[in-house]
Amino acid sequence: MGFDQEGFHVHGAESHLESVMRSGDTASFRAGDCLLGMIKQGFESGCAWSIEVEGSGVVHADFKKGIYQASVRSEANFFGVNPRYATVAPFRHGVERGGRPVEELLWKAAFYGSFGRLLEGCNLFDVVELQRWPNFTRLPHSVCCLPLCSLLARRPSSIAFAHRMLRVPPGDAMRFYSAARSAGYLRVISAQPDASGPSAMLDTEEDPSGSSFSGFWTRLFGRVVGL
Amino acid sequence: MQKILFAGPVGAGKSSAIASVSDSGVVHTDVGATDQVAELKARTTVAMDYGTLKIDESLTIQLVGTPGQQRFSFMWDILSNGAVGVVLLLDNSRPDPIDDLAVYLRAFGGLIQQQGGAGVVGVTHIDCSSTPSLAQVHRCIVQMGYQLPVFEVDARQREDVKILLLALASELNPSTYRRRVAAR
């Protein structure tokens, strides 16, 4: 299972990752299980909020202006936290000019909250099309995300197909799909009603180039990864 | 040797981008800037910048930076010959980055659309000017009939230029390749 193995800062009795694994809930996650739910509420409110995780940092988000500023030690620790350890308060000062686009918070929250699981409401066999590439120079990602984007931008496909075609590890594929759907980068062309969990994904031999072809371009990809 | 072009207006960061990833010392063909360019920078490329990226013992990629000034645009066609992909760098602090985008997409569109070709767009100096946004740049690209990756970039940072090259490699990968023009 493609769980993120980064060490997460512990708040309270256990880390969020450990609680997820202990609960056995490995198939999917809800927005409310991580900061994604909180951030979506922020969008609906149209207000300015401070979201603080003690010991990890704070994010000031002005959902009306569409910008945010963050002061966090580790984004993985902050956005991967169990939301019961986060506090939200109105931010009366407003975010200064020069903040980042607030939509980035949706990607970060879903990416780090996923732990390799699929967001509830997403189906591995949904046929989706990438509308616009995420700004990967400023967003967390794995290298597998780039070939996935290239494929989904060129031909609407399901994640189940794409991950097999490109030999992307299932956890990475589900994390990408959860983040891309949350942040609005994907358009669902055909939604599948039946839930299908990780059993629908076959274990793949990881290929960092995202392709089963050992051609010139996979060699270039591999070389650039090593830069 | 395969060739990847770095194109874009003066000061967009082409020379810096190549220098950030080149295995070899970058060869510059620049001279002291005159006319309006002198207000932007001290030196400007008149022919090309040249760097290399060694893949393995049998394969090296040429990284070629085109001159930014349009009066040297005759070099763009020459340098495009044999290139497999282009990295378009836009300077968001210029008066009209969207117009720049149109100029360079027209100039290099053939390379992007050719069989086995691809392009990616990097927007620099966003810290100096936040408009147009990446979403606006992408909309213009689609309106012009293309579907290209667009990223915010600091051309001096290897990690940013690395993303541009990874995206280009992904676009050129036969596993994902099927040339299509964005729906209008």
Side-chain angles (χ1 to χ4, degrees):
Chain A
M1 189 57 74
F3 287 114
D4 194 322
Q5 295 301 308
E6 291 178 26
F8 283 76
H9 183 66
V10 176
H11 285 281
E14 60 188 13
S15 71
H16 195 186
L17 174 60
E18 289 168 354
S19 67
V20 164
M21 297 182 75
R22 188 171 296 111
S23 71
D25 180 14
T26 59
S28 63
F29 73 105
R30 295 184 300 266
D33 294 341
C34 61
L35 292 187
L36 179 62
M38 200 173 281
I39 291 167
K40 283 187 170 183
Q41 287 176 1
F43 272 93
E44 290 169 10
S45 73
C47 298
W49 285 2
S50 285
I51 303 172
E52 184 172 2
V53 176
E54 189 179 341
S56 281
V58 62
V59 166
H60 300 303
D62 192 326
F63 292 100
K64 185 175 181 181
K65 285 185 191 173
I67 53 177
Y68 80 96
Q69 288 174 331
S71 177
V72 302
R73 279 194 229 159
S74 161
E75 286 196 341
N77 286 0
F78 184 91
F79 288 102
V81 78
N82 187 313
R84 68 173 180 263
Y85 298 117
T87 56
V88 179
F91 185 59
R92 305 192 193 287
H93 302 291
V95 177
E96 298 172 3
R97 289 169 56 188
R100 302 287 313 168
V102 73
E103 289 77 16
E104 292 183 354
L105 295 178
L106 291 169
W107 174 281
K108 291 182 180 184
F111 186 85
Y112 287 122
S114 165
F115 296 97
R117 299 168 297 170
L118 196 63
L119 181 64
E120 194 173 70
C122 296
N123 186 299
L124 297 170
F125 294 97
D126 294 333
V127 177
V128 296
E129 179 182 36
L130 189 78
Q131 299 288 282
R132 180 164 68 93
W133 283 63
N135 184 22
F136 287 132
T137 53
R138 300 293 178 266
L139 291 173
H141 63 278
S142 62
V143 292
C144 307
C145 291
L146 287 96
L148 281 170
C149 284
S150 186
L151 177 65
L152 294 174
R154 291 163 181 268
R155 41 175 149 167
S157 307
S158 69
I159 289 295
F161 168 80
H163 108 91
R164 289 176 186 161
M165 175 78 170
L166 299 173
R167 302 173 70 88
V168 171
D172 282 344
M174 287 191 281
R175 187 166 53 174
F176 162 80
Y177 186 33
S178 299
R181 277 286 298 270
S182 299
Y185 290 108
L186 292 172
R187 178 173 74 100
V188 179
I189 293 175
S190 172
Q192 300 304 307
D194 298 324
S196 54
S199 58
M201 308 279 265
L202 298 176
D203 285 333
T204 59
E205 184 181 319
E206 182 171 346
D207 183 338
S209 68
S211 169
S212 59
F213 294 92
S214 56
F216 166 69
W217 300 112
T218 59
R219 291 155 69 196
L220 170 62
F221 193 97
R223 174 67 181 90
V224 175
V225 167
L227 279 175
Chain B
M1 283 198 286
Q2 301 284 357
K3 177 169 44 174
I4 293 174
L5 293 187
F6 286 73
V10 174
K14 302 179 294 296
S15 303
S16 299
I18 292 173
S20 71
V21 294
S22 178
D23 290 330
S24 58
V26 178
V27 176
H28 299 286
T29 57
D30 56 353
V31 298
T34 59
D35 60 43
Q36 313 94 292
V37 177
E39 297 175 12
L40 296 173
K41 46 196 282 195
R43 304 188 71 78
T44 189
T45 304
V46 293
M48 65 177 187
D49 291 322
Y50 182 83
T52 57
L53 191 62
K54 187 173 182 180
I55 306 299
D56 53 41
E57 289 305 317
S58 63
L59 180 62
T60 298
I61 305 285
Q62 297 175 317
L63 306 175
V64 177
T66 64
Q69 294 186 61
Q70 289 195 46
R71 62 188 169 121
F72 295 124
S73 60
F74 66 93
M75 286 295 300
W76 299 351
D77 286 338
I78 296 171
L79 294 173
S80 293
N81 193 25
V84 295
V86 58
V87 175
L88 291 184
L89 293 178
L90 300 176
D91 180 356
N92 228 38
S93 68
R94 282 172 57 87
D96 195 344
I98 298 298
D99 184 63
D100 292 337
L101 173 67
V103 167
Y104 287 90
L105 276 182
R106 275 195 297 270
F108 295 98
L111 167 59
I112 293 170
Q113 296 284 25
Q114 73 181 15
Q115 181 79 14
V120 299
V121 177
V123 182
T124 66
H125 301 98
I126 284 183
D127 55 327
C128 299
S129 173
S130 59
T131 55
S133 66
L134 293 187
Q136 288 172 302
V137 170
H138 178 260
R139 268 196 296 276
C140 292
I141 290 170
V142 171
Q143 286 170 0
M144 291 188 67
Y146 299 89
Q147 175 66 285
L148 302 176
V150 181
F151 304 108
E152 174 181 349
V153 170
D154 180 341
R156 302 162 298 180
Q157 297 298 323
R158 168 177 279 206
E159 289 302 310
D160 284 5
V161 181
K162 183 173 157 179
I163 296 292
L164 291 174
L165 294 179
L166 284 174
L168 192 67
S170 298
E171 291 280 271
L172 288 163
N173 192 322
S175 299
T176 65
Y177 178 87
R178 181 195 296 172
R179 180 58 58 209
R180 78 172 177 92
V181 176
R184 293 182 182 273

